[in-house]
């Protein structure tokens, strides 16, 4: 049984006091034992949020991290720095980084290796553009992103990663993939893991769905057999809606 993860991606939102307030609100909410809860604030407020999460089961994650351990890489943050601040997870290859910052599968692959070497669990994002979906390329696109980003990793390393399927056309748009559309891609990705690695990694890897997840659609998405949680953007910026999504996943975990 895969333990569901509900992860909040705050993106470039919230100032220091709003970050602290949101973290406090989530910490004070209900934390069902069967669900892992992760919050990913901006780099500059990781330390402040880390202090609030101390002693709670809510975990901390970075929104990105660089592949080199240190050196002349202006503006970059290493995986060891994230770990030092208490991060157990790091989002890698998010579509906003792929499309706004030009990240390639090669770069994401280097970051994946660095995260795993540091003991941080990477949440690898993959997802197709609207035109790619409309021209029937969804499967090819997500498979090549996954293959490129996981290159050279062993089956054991792959089993330690989390994958997030986030159709780009559903991110921040209010358009959600239907539970059936999401399930289809998740099942394809799981089959590919079995083919490229082994049955154990395919059974172990948690595949999250992301793209306009909100309290009203979470339960239905999370009820799909291959959807093991959610990566939540907009709806993670308020404690109440994030806690409602967590509660929806508990209902699923209990079923
Ligand atoms: P959204 O973002 O929930 O605001 O669509 C999800 C994400 O980009 O991770």
């Amino acid at each position: 049984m895969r333990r569901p993860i509900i992860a909040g991606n705050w993106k470039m939102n919230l100032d220091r006091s709003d970050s602290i307030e949101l973290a406090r609100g989530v910490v004070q909410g209900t934390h069902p034992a069967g669900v892992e809860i992760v919050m990913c604030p901006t780099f500059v407020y990781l330390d402040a949020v880390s202090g609030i999460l101390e002693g709670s089961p809510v975990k901390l994650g970075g929104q990105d991290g660089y592949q080199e351990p240190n050196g002349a890489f202006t503006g970059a943050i290493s995986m060891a720095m994230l770990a030092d601040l208490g991060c157990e997870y790091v989002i890698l290859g998010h579509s906003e980084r792929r499309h706004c910052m030009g990240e390639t599968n090669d770069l994401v692959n280097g970051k994946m290796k660095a995260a795993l070497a540091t003991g941080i669990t990477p949440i690898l994002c993959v997802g197709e553009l609207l035109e790619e979906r409309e021209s029937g390329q969804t499967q090819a696109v997500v498979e090549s992103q996954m293959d490129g980003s996981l290159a050279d990793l062993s089956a054991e390393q792959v089993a330690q990663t989390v994958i997030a399927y986030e159709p780009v056309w559903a991110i921040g748009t209010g358009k959600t993939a239907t539970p059936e559309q999401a399930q289809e891609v998740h099942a394809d990705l799981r089959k590919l893991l079995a083919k490229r690695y082994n049955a154990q990694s395919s059974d172990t890897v948690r595949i999250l769905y992301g793209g306009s997840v909100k309290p009203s659609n979470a339960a239905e998405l999370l009820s799909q057999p291959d959807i093991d949680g959610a990566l939540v953007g907009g709806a993670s910026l308020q404690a109440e809606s994030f806690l409602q999504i967590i509660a929806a996943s508990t209902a699923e975990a209990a079923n």
Side-chain angles (χ1 to χ4, degrees), residues 6-14 22 40 63 91 94 96 166 170-172 209-214 230-239 241-242 245:
I6 305 296
N9 174 10
W10 297 3
K11 308 192 180 184
M12 199 174 71
N13 291 302
L14 309 179
L22 175 55
C40 306
Q63 295 179 15
I91 300 171
H94 190 279
E96 284 145 20
E166 299 204 305
I171 295 179
Y209 171 78
S212 298
V213 175
K214 35 189 188 252
L231 182 54
V232 187
S236 74
L237 297 176
Q238 290 195 333
S241 49
F242 192 54
I245 294 170

